[in-house]
Amino acid sequence: MSQHSRKKLTSGKKVTLGVSALAASGLAVGLLVTPSATAGGTDAAEALEQSQAAAADASAAKDAAPKARTLAASAADATVVSGVTVDGGNSARVGTTNTQTITVKWTVSGGSKLYGSNASIWRGTDQDSGLKQFFNSEQFEADTDPCVQSGDARFSCTATFKIDPQSYLKNEDAGAWKIDLSAVTEATTDVDTDNAKTWYLKRWSRLSNNAAPEPVAKGKTITITGKLERANWDTHKYAGYTQQTVRLQERSLTGSYATTSSHITGTGSLAGVEKQTRTATTDRCYRYKFEGTSTTPPVTATGDCVDVR
């Protein structure tokens, strides 16, 4: 199901990019603000169009600015975007019911004046004919500048996206997404790319763990049971994640966990379930660990220690 048939994140506004930098340059802020013809929610293609129009506004403001260039701009022929991260890394995770805030950060350098920069998130094969989802940020929606100057010809930028899984996501949305990013400074060349970074939107995972019985008599059998589950964005519930490798880890009461065996989670009525046994010899702690996939984040269960008597 595409973005076109769901409740939409965007509000239909086309907004200012780089307002504070533009005002500092002496240009009228109103030069960048153009009301959208769409009053209500928009689909993915319209959200993309708004983002592209805002980037064009920033370029127009640059073209209209006085042609005298600063020393910093003269030394830099290109605007550079670096340090692009999603939630501090390369992925974000969303559960079944709670709205999740996804944070994108990046750095712009190349000119001491910033006319505009914006990041959007999207999914699909391409933006011309294969666009599935496209979300503009909270800063975009609120007409606020995502960037602050952090040095000479350097700007630190942050964009946030609030994603409600019950309104915006289906299971098919898990996996690779891209960042559409534009940046316009007084340097000769600007940045306008639909894939500044590929990142992964993942279905939140959880992993239970129980070692029993406890206490247990020496020589008796200990059963370690776990269940790997992940968010289902179609049903808005958690469901067992089948046929996935989980690692059983053990340690002494004062030692560090180490993997002792690997196993595949169950299917059918035992979907996501793993169960292993050990002979009780001495006090010991057990836990399961899942390394994650491109659609599901890694998770480690809380250890359970058994008193052997």
Side-chain angles (χ1 to χ4, degrees):
M1 185 181 296
S2 75
Q3 172 79 2
H4 298 252
S5 57
R6 302 182 205 162
K7 182 179 177 182
K8 312 305 188 292
L9 181 65
T10 52
S11 68
K13 296 179 292 182
K14 181 164 72 68
V15 302
T16 303
L17 291 179
V19 175
S20 60
L22 183 62
S25 73
L27 292 177
V29 173
L31 185 67
L32 287 185
V33 182
T34 305
S36 170
T38 305
T42 63
D43 63 17
E46 288 173 319
L48 168 62
E49 186 176 334
Q50 292 168 6
S51 178
Q52 292 173 334
D57 283 345
S59 295
K62 174 182 177 178
D63 292 340
K67 300 307 178 184
R69 303 178 71 210
T70 66
L71 182 61
S74 299
D77 291 329
T79 299
V80 176
V81 171
S82 60
V84 182
T85 63
V86 178
D87 279 3
N90 192 40
S91 66
R93 59 188 70 183
V94 178
T96 58
T97 57
N98 295 332
T99 296
Q100 188 73 17
T101 299
I102 296 173
T103 302
V104 176
K105 293 189 175 184
W106 68 101
T107 299
V108 178
S109 57
S112 58
K113 288 183 180 179
L114 177 65
Y115 293 96
S117 188
N118 178 64
S120 302
I121 58 176
W122 68 283
R123 183 181 76 83
T125 55
D126 63 79
Q127 292 188 352
D128 292 328
S129 58
L131 186 64
K132 300 296 185 181
Q133 294 265 32
F134 193 97
F135 294 150
N136 286 317
S137 69
E138 290 185 288
Q139 289 70 28
F140 188 99
E141 295 293 334
D143 274 4
T144 57
D145 194 332
C147 303
V148 295
Q149 191 154 7
S150 56
D152 185 25
R154 185 180 179 88
F155 299 84
S156 297
C157 308
T158 301
T160 55
F161 305 81
K162 286 192 180 297
I163 306 296
D164 177 358
Q166 296 197 18
S167 299
Y168 309 136
L169 299 178
K170 293 294 183 181
N171 286 341
E172 66 186 38
D173 292 319
W177 285 56
K178 302 177 181 68
I179 296 176
D180 183 294
L181 198 149
S182 64
V184 179
T185 74
E186 60 180 339
T188 303
T189 304
D190 302 317
V191 172
D192 188 4
T193 176
D194 58 11
N195 191 10
K197 186 180 186 70
T198 297
W199 60 284
Y200 294 85
L201 183 63
K202 300 187 177 186
R203 296 160 59 180
W204 202 294
S205 57
R206 60 191 189 188
L207 181 55
S208 63
N209 180 67
N210 182 61
E214 47 184 315
V216 63
K218 188 173 182 179
K220 296 296 184 179
T221 297
I222 300 171
T223 301
I224 306 101
T225 305
K227 185 174 183 180
L228 175 64
E229 298 178 295
R230 64 173 176 168
N232 186 316
W233 293 337
D234 293 340
T235 64
H236 309 126
K237 298 178 181 179
Y238 279 85
Y241 197 7
T242 63
Q243 295 184 307
Q244 298 301 308
T245 299
V246 293
R247 308 186 191 283
L248 178 59
Q249 298 187 324
E250 304 178 29
R251 69 170 174 84
S252 64
L253 294 183
T254 58
S256 300
Y257 278 105
T259 297
T260 56
S261 57
S262 297
H263 311 277
I264 304 298
T265 58
T267 60
S269 61
L270 296 177
V273 173
E274 179 52 41
K275 184 181 293 187
Q276 295 296 315
T277 59
R278 293 290 187 268
T279 299
T281 57
T282 186
D283 293 353
R284 199 156 182 82
C285 304
Y286 304 88
R287 72 180 186 186
Y288 285 107
K289 183 175 184 178
F290 171 61
E291 300 292 348
T293 64
S294 63
T295 61
T296 310
V299 61
T300 300
T302 300
D304 191 11
C305 299
V306 177
D307 177 16
V308 178
R309 299 180 180 179

